[in-house]
Amino acid sequence: THTPQSLAGRQVLLLFWRTDDAASRSAVATLAAQRGVLEGAGIMPLAIALDAADAEARVRAAAPTGVAVVHATRELALTWAIVHRHLFMNRPPMPLPTALLLDGATRIVRTYREGLDARRVVQ
């Protein structure tokens, strides 16, 4: 279980994705491949799957080794959708994949929507 309180004090990269989206699957694979770069800089990668509740098996099958994956409940997915809308002043829904970098106080300090590169995140 991951809660904001359990992440406090750590930098975290949240990657929002879906198994039925090719760009999302590519971003998750990149996250897994570059995990060492992130962890070396003290950043914990966490992939949040926004698939429907009945897609648990598909999420588990697509989850990369070595990266924590959370299959979001409907409520959690809606919460992050609202956060995204507030960040971008009620603009269109969150495109996938989207990554948010949280600082040690769980504040969003950066968003990534044009591909994922761990070296860029670390900078």
Side-chain angles (χ1 to χ4, degrees):
T1 301
H2 296 280
T3 64
Q5 295 80 13
S6 72
L7 303 175
R10 302 180 72 178
Q11 292 183 5
V12 181
L13 182 67
L14 301 176
L15 174 65
F16 297 92
W17 67 294
R18 267 193 346 251
T19 61
D20 62 353
D21 179 70
S24 289
R25 289 191 311 272
S26 176
V28 168
T30 299
L31 185 66
Q34 298 180 358
R35 174 180 59 112
V37 173
L38 294 169
E39 291 176 346
I43 301 170
M44 176 187 149
L46 179 59
I48 300 178
L50 300 178
D51 292 74
D54 62 355
E56 183 71 31
R58 191 170 66 228
V59 170
R60 284 189 184 161
T65 303
V67 174
V69 174
V70 173
H71 186 186
T73 63
R74 178 173 165 69
E75 293 78 19
L76 179 60
L78 289 172
T79 298
W80 283 108
I82 291 168
V83 167
H84 182 270
R85 283 184 175 264
H86 282 283
L87 281 174
F88 294 97
M89 299 176 67
N90 292 319
R91 300 285 185 223
M94 180 177 6
L96 295 180
T98 289
L100 303 176
L101 180 61
L102 308 181
D103 68 8
T106 66
R107 294 177 296 218
I108 299 168
V109 294
R110 186 92 166 122
T111 61
Y112 302 91
R113 294 192 275 177
E114 297 176 10
L116 188 59
D117 178 5
R119 290 172 294 284
R120 195 171 108 205
V121 172
V122 168
Q123 287 177 343

